[in-house]
Amino acid sequence: MNKLLKDFYCISGICLCIYFPGVCQSLSGEWSGQITQTGSRYGNILIQIKMLQNGNAISGEIKTIVKNNFIVQEFTGSRINGEILINERKVLKEVGNLDWYLKRLRGRLVVDANKMIIYGTWNSQQAYQFNAYVPARYSGGTFQISLAKPVEAPKKGKNAFLTLRVLDKNTLQPINSDLNISVSKGRMRMPLKRVGGHYIFETTTGETVQITVYGLGYESFNEVVKVDKAHMSKQILIIPSLKKRAKQMSPVGATELKAGDTLQLLLHFEQSSAVLLPDSEPELEKVLRFLIEHPSAKVELIGHTDNVGDPVKNFRLSGDRVNAIKGYLVGNKISAHRIYCRSMGGRKPIAENSSEENRKKNRRVEMRVVEL
């Protein structure tokens, strides 16, 4: 009986590969295509994906490109026959002020004229803004990608050299002192050679190594890297500690606040959305520095809207906006217990809602110092 079942599964697998060739092909390789975002000013957006499949699990990087700006995000996911699920986990690199969502993509694999294509829809519960993850519910849009270049396994056994350079993430200046760098392969620590401001170690192509960096006044860095070239260079950005980061920020007036004071924050959001606009960053840094320099301080963020539209939706929007600010602060290592959020909607205007100019005044976020 067992032999009959085994023969049946083998025959079924052969039939699947004949009639549905995409089922038996690996997704590993370089993909490219477009993604759309409902109501976006960007239009169709170019994406490039490096994907690796291991069994039913997939992982890799997604690069989203808008004009001269781009953002690279790490993802994990799964492939069950023709159903593909991709979840973006964190941002690895960004160039420019491209605010973006951490997407959940759900698609279907098809093979058209021997070309592998994945198409489907996406949505999001989180956005990435100003180096922080913030809540942002978004219905998303659609995407379609095709396999441009199947992955080629690197040849093992050839000598390879990996060159490392360590920079301060905030200033992008090299860090040449007070560093402890280790490169490990399994449990074996590899010898490093320092040449000027670079660190070089020798291995072989195809190897996977773990890089660990400790620096005085910086958070620790840990990353696994696959050496797939004979000569590889890697730039490592390490994050300053809270104390060091406060010294790097420019002086701001928010540090003069005292307990009981209320400050109106100069923040701007996308219309009817909790997504912060890029010109809000200086004001966010004021609040961040205040909390860094006053480690016992507690603040309350109060969100207000005008009286246009559904009061219930306005109430939720004001709450989503203050939670987006809290998400930015928590993402920069401020304890969530120090930040309270209150949603007011349109219940406490500071001007009559009789003109657009007055309604603009009522759409605001205030910060009240609870303890200092």
Side-chain angles (χ1 to χ4, degrees):
M1 181 66 178
N2 288 339
K3 185 177 184 303
L4 286 173
L5 285 173
K6 185 176 179 181
D7 291 343
F8 171 76
Y9 289 135
C10 290
I11 294 168
S12 299
I14 293 170
C15 290
L16 280 172
C17 289
I18 292 172
Y19 293 105
F20 305 99
V23 172
C24 298
Q25 290 179 257
S26 172
L27 300 181
S28 297
E30 297 179 8
W31 297 71
S32 62
Q34 289 185 331
I35 188 166
T36 66
Q37 180 180 346
T38 305
S40 170
R41 62 184 183 275
Y42 298 131
N44 289 344
I45 300 166
L46 178 66
I47 53 172
Q48 298 173 347
I49 301 178
K50 293 181 179 178
M51 192 182 306
L52 181 65
Q53 179 179 342
N54 184 7
N56 287 335
I58 57 175
S59 60
E61 299 176 3
I62 296 180
K63 183 177 183 180
T64 306
I65 305 168
V66 178
K67 296 182 180 178
N68 295 325
N69 301 331
F70 71 85
I71 188 166
V72 180
Q73 295 165 291
E74 181 185 84
F75 74 87
T76 57
S78 63
R79 171 204 179 154
I80 307 298
N81 295 329
E83 299 291 331
I84 312 298
L85 182 64
I86 293 175
N87 291 308
E88 292 179 339
R89 295 296 184 188
K90 65 178 181 179
V91 173
L92 302 177
K93 183 179 181 181
E94 61 174 330
V95 171
N97 294 316
L98 181 60
D99 297 335
W100 196 240
Y101 296 93
L102 269 73
K103 303 182 291 297
R104 177 184 173 90
L105 299 92
R106 184 181 295 275
R108 174 169 290 277
L109 173 67
V110 297
V111 178
D112 184 12
N114 294 324
K115 188 174 185 179
M116 295 178 68
I117 298 172
I118 300 174
Y119 68 94
T121 60
W122 68 274
N123 58 36
S124 176
Q125 297 293 319
Q126 264 191 320
Y128 180 78
Q129 302 173 332
F130 312 129
N131 300 320
Y133 304 97
V134 298
R137 293 189 296 269
Y138 194 76
S139 58
T142 63
F143 74 96
Q144 180 170 313
I145 56 174
S146 58
L147 182 60
K149 182 181 178 183
V151 71
E152 294 181 7
K155 296 179 181 179
K156 294 187 178 182
K158 291 187 177 181
N159 289 340
F161 296 90
L162 178 58
T163 302
L164 307 176
R165 188 167 183 244
V166 183
L167 305 178
D168 182 301
K169 185 173 181 178
N170 281 5
T171 65
L172 298 181
Q173 296 300 309
I175 304 169
N176 295 319
S177 60
D178 299 320
L179 280 180
N180 183 352
I181 302 179
S182 67
V183 179
S184 307
K185 188 164 57 177
R187 294 187 177 182
M188 183 172 63
R189 185 164 172 166
M190 312 292 291
L192 277 171
K193 181 180 180 181
R194 181 171 178 176
V195 179
H198 298 78
Y199 298 82
I200 303 172
F201 82 97
E202 183 177 358
T203 181
T204 55
T205 54
E207 293 287 357
T208 299
V209 299
Q210 180 168 312
I211 302 171
T212 305
V213 180
Y214 297 98
L216 184 62
Y218 291 88
E219 297 180 12
S220 61
F221 173 92
N222 199 346
E223 184 177 335
V224 174
V225 174
K226 188 168 186 179
V227 182
D228 54 6
K229 297 178 183 177
H231 295 276
M232 282 183 63
S233 296
K234 182 169 181 61
Q235 188 168 275
I236 296 173
L237 302 178
I238 59 175
I239 302 171
S241 63
L242 291 181
K243 186 174 180 181
K244 190 177 187 73
R245 206 182 313 169
K247 291 180 180 179
Q248 291 175 343
M249 291 180 184
S250 57
V252 290
T255 57
E256 299 173 3
L257 288 172
K258 57 185 183 297
D261 283 352
T262 299
L263 174 72
Q264 184 170 326
L265 302 179
L266 302 176
L267 299 172
H268 301 97
F269 297 85
E270 288 187 2
Q271 186 175 358
S272 303
S273 167
V275 176
L276 286 153
L277 294 175
D279 59 3
S280 300
E281 186 169 12
E283 193 77 351
L284 291 169
E285 287 190 351
K286 289 182 183 181
V287 180
L288 178 60
R289 178 167 183 174
F290 173 77
L291 292 171
I292 290 173
E293 292 190 339
H294 300 83
S296 61
K298 294 182 179 180
V299 298
E300 181 182 37
L301 300 172
I302 309 165
H304 301 268
T305 65
D306 57 29
N307 67 346
V308 176
D310 186 340
V312 174
K313 290 183 178 179
N314 286 340
F315 181 81
R316 290 175 180 168
L317 177 61
S318 61
D320 286 344
R321 286 180 169 177
V322 291
N323 276 296
I325 301 164
K326 180 176 181 178
Y328 167 84
L329 298 170
V330 172
N332 280 279
K333 309 299 182 183
I334 301 298
S335 171
H337 300 294
R338 298 173 60 195
I339 307 164
Y340 307 108
C341 291
R342 184 149 53 112
S343 174
M344 298 301 296
R347 290 184 294 175
K348 286 202 172 182
I350 56 175
E352 292 289 335
N353 284 293
S354 56
S355 67
E356 176 55 29
E357 188 63 29
N358 282 350
R359 287 192 290 272
K360 188 175 180 181
K361 294 176 183 177
N362 292 330
R363 298 191 294 266
R364 68 197 190 279
V365 174
E366 297 169 336
M367 183 184 78
R368 184 173 68 88
V369 182
V370 179
E371 294 181 18
L372 193 60

